[in-house]
Amino acid sequence: MRKLFKFLARGSTTSSGSSSRRNSAAANPIPEDLHLSGPLTPHSSLSGPDVLLLDDGSTPALESLLRGRIRRAQIGSTEDLKAVLDVLFVLDDILPEKTQEKLAAYLSHDRSVYKMILLLTSDKEDADELEFVHSIREVHKYKYVISCFILYGPEHVRQKIASSAPLLDPILAFLASPSPKDTVILEFAARVLGCLLHENSTFTVSHMAAAQSGRFIPRVVQRIGSKAVAELLARLVSEHGFFNLEPLLFGPVNRFGVDLLHTSRLPDLLEARFVDAVETEVFAYETVCAAENCADTLAKVTLRAAMGEAAVAETGMGGARYNDYFAFALRALNTVRNPRGHGRMLDAAIAVGTPWAVGAAVGAVVTIMEEIERARATGSPAVRLVVRQVRTGALENVLAERFGGLVGLVRGCETPLKMDKFLVVKLLSLCFRMGSAETMKKLVGLGVHKVMMELFVRHENNALLQREVRLAIASALAKDFIDFHEAWINDCDLISFVLSAWLDFRGKPKPGYFQELMEIGLSIGNFIKRRQLILGKEDDQFIPIDKKDLFQKYSQGPLELFQRSRAQPLLFKPVGMPDMLGKKAEVFDEDEGEALYIMTRLTEKLLGDDDEFEDEGNAIVTEERAKKL
């Protein structure tokens, strides 16, 4: 179906056909109550390929049936329009060019578009009561075809709807209606409105602001159980290209949409809707979706507002007066600056304790902090230039007040680790990595580092959790705060743990767990070297005396070897490319099983055989073994 309308859209870029058909189409009267903002522009014919391939299988008779129904259809007749949509719903045949022209001319007519909008926003099911349906799509078959035509069809149809109040108002009234609506119909209508927002944002947003006496956004938030509605709210700030691989590289900020969301107090609405969904005593799928979409939308709006505010400050666009108001509106939507909403969401989720509530509230904060951290490290130059203006101090203060409740959720949790618990661990790890000195002091004071090490040991098969703990350790040891060094190394007895775990796994390697242990050991080794350079002598403060010789052998043996293999991981060459000795290089496929085999082999090489180590298991790797690697 989408392929059909995409071909129609491509063909509509150039118009051809006889003038008699255009005059005949234009001569059809329109309803008296339909007053479009622009002139009538019925596109009566299209040029394109001789034939059109469709998706699903059907008989060739459907094409002739469609041609006959279009020929007999009267412009403005609802029943005739339904007859054409019925055929389109099941059609998968080859359409000649003339049939394409007639179909596009009929569906693109102003009154046909008006009738399609009314069908799209109707609560009535499209299937007959006695008709047997196989899927929910068949129940709303007309709405499905209409949404596909508007989303993927000719561009002039979207432009017509997005610049015409009589065509746009029924969609806005449907989404903002206080009465309950079918979730599937909400999805269709919200996606169409998002497409129109992209086509003509100024006209669309102005009608959103006037719809329902200024209550459009509050009423739409009540429908946020629909994913398309949630995405629509985020798109009012700015848009993210579908093929854009840069997570924080958004399009131009929509100042009309920002003003609408700011005057409607969107963060407060999302917070209230989340708390209401979490505290309800009726557990339903729609309740869970509403809570998750509220938290996810707040995170998306925050990231777009934060980047927009930083971009305005960086570029100085629009003049001083414009910047002051624009920055104020963006700042109000930026919960990194005003994180009270996140605090209330976390309080409600921790109080209830249900996994889906905790996962939604914590996941929103994790999304914000993780995207900012990633952009600072690996973003494009333009993104890094903007994201460096984003400050997370206020958000850290709100989180610090709730560290006790968050740690209580994960303390002593058994295997397997649920997703909500993992998100809590990830949030604590991000606070260690991105937090200020005050934030880290609160974490250490509550013993969060000890809890994270306990989880690391207990969940040795959870590679995601081990990575978060390892990153927290590496970040703490890289900072110039001696209290944090002592907390991780001395309180957790980190060096003894790494050495004993390394000796225990000799001969029975676990690739993922062992690699994280080696990464932790590498962070400790770099920290010890840096301390020796600063002090000008060996530092006896952190390495136990009875472990000094063993740690030195460990550092000079497997740890040094691991660091070299990490700097030059595998050195694979393309197929057929000879190495320096003229031999054909070994080539591995990018397959998960092959990668696991390689990791296992490397781990065996790093651990070595029993006869290559001293009796007490110290890591002495022979020079010949190192040359082989």
Side-chain angles (χ1 to χ4, degrees), residues 245-535:
L245 301 180
E246 190 79 42
L248 294 188
L249 184 60
F250 303 107
V253 178
N254 185 348
R255 62 188 184 95
F256 301 102
V258 168
D259 182 58
L260 175 60
L261 297 180
H262 166 56
T263 54
S264 301
R265 303 176 65 88
L266 179 66
D268 295 339
L269 295 174
L270 294 174
E271 171 222 324
R273 183 71 177 91
F274 177 89
V275 174
D276 180 65
V278 168
E279 295 179 349
T280 183
E281 297 180 357
V282 180
F283 178 80
Y285 178 72
E286 185 177 354
T287 303
V288 177
C289 290
E292 292 179 347
N293 289 343
C294 278
D296 184 60
T297 302
L298 189 60
K300 289 181 178 179
V301 170
T302 293
L303 289 172
R304 299 178 191 215
M307 295 298 289
E309 179 189 355
V312 170
E314 185 71 28
T315 59
M317 52 181 279
R321 183 176 180 181
Y322 171 77
N323 279 349
D324 290 342
Y325 175 76
F326 197 28
F328 177 77
L330 287 169
R331 194 176 300 121
L333 300 176
N334 180 6
T335 56
V336 173
R337 282 182 172 270
N338 304 288
R340 294 171 298 175
H342 286 294
R344 297 191 190 100
M345 285 184 176
L346 289 170
D347 291 338
I350 293 172
V352 175
T354 52
W356 56 270
V358 173
V362 175
V365 184
V366 167
T367 298
I368 294 172
M369 298 185 69
E370 188 176 30
E371 292 296 348
I372 293 175
E373 181 193 41
R374 184 184 294 114
R376 288 175 177 174
T378 62
S380 63
V383 171
R384 289 202 303 270
L385 182 67
V386 174
V387 80
R388 70 182 182 183
Q389 306 287 338
V390 180
R391 300 289 181 265
T392 59
L395 181 60
E396 293 173 24
N397 293 335
V398 169
L399 294 176
E401 298 173 359
R402 293 156 179 85
F403 281 155
L406 293 171
V407 174
L409 294 173
V410 298
R411 191 189 301 273
C413 60
E414 299 298 330
T415 56
L417 192 70
K418 300 294 181 63
M419 179 56 69
D420 60 311
K421 303 295 192 300
F422 167 72
L423 289 174
V424 173
V425 175
K426 190 168 188 175
L427 177 60
L428 297 174
S429 175
L430 285 167
C431 291
F432 269 111
R433 284 137 54 185
M434 300 177 62
S436 61
E438 292 297 325
T439 301
M440 295 186 68
K441 284 181 181 178
K442 293 180 180 179
L443 290 168
V444 171
L446 292 171
V448 177
H449 56 301
K450 297 180 182 179
V451 175
M452 294 180 71
M453 280 305 303
E454 292 173 3
L455 294 173
F456 185 95
V457 175
R458 184 179 295 116
H459 302 274
E460 63 179 21
N461 294 321
N462 193 326
L464 296 177
L465 181 141
Q466 294 159 12
R467 177 181 181 273
E468 296 302 325
V469 177
R470 185 254 301 172
L471 292 175
I473 294 173
S475 177
L477 296 182
K479 295 180 179 179
D480 296 329
F481 299 106
I482 192 68
D483 294 340
F484 307 148
H485 306 159
E486 293 178 348
W488 279 104
I489 295 181
N490 296 340
D491 294 354
C492 299
D493 199 10
L494 196 58
I495 293 179
S496 298
F497 166 72
V498 170
L499 292 175
S500 61
W502 162 64
L503 294 175
D504 290 342
F505 282 114
R506 185 170 58 89
K508 47 178 181 179
K510 294 185 178 181
Y513 190 45
F514 177 77
Q515 180 172 353
E516 298 299 338
L517 286 173
M518 296 298 289
E519 292 282 0
I520 293 175
L522 192 60
S523 298
I524 297 174
N526 293 334
F527 167 73
I528 296 298
K529 291 179 182 179
R530 190 167 63 253
R531 291 280 298 176
Q532 291 177 352
L533 290 176
I534 295 175
L535 299 176

Side-chain angles (χ1 to χ4, degrees), residues 542-610:
F542 294 101
I543 304 177
I545 297 177
D546 57 334
K547 299 289 193 306
K548 188 173 181 180
D549 293 339
L550 182 60
F551 183 78
Q552 184 176 4
K553 294 176 182 178
Y554 170 70
S555 300
Q556 296 175 354
L559 197 59
E560 183 177 349
L561 184 60
F562 177 78
Q563 187 173 9
R564 273 187 278 141
S565 66
R566 184 171 174 264
Q568 296 179 339
L570 294 175
L571 297 180
F572 293 153
K573 301 180 181 67
V575 177
M577 179 177 291
D579 60 13
M580 294 180 64
L581 300 178
K583 300 177 182 179
K584 191 172 182 179
E586 201 171 2
V587 179
F588 297 94
D589 188 15
E590 295 182 9
D591 180 76
E592 184 178 359
E594 188 76 15
L596 183 60
Y597 168 78
I598 296 169
M599 178 58 68
T600 304
R601 296 289 299 172
L602 286 177
T603 304
E604 292 174 354
K605 290 182 179 181
L606 291 175
L607 290 172
D609 301 325
D610 292 341

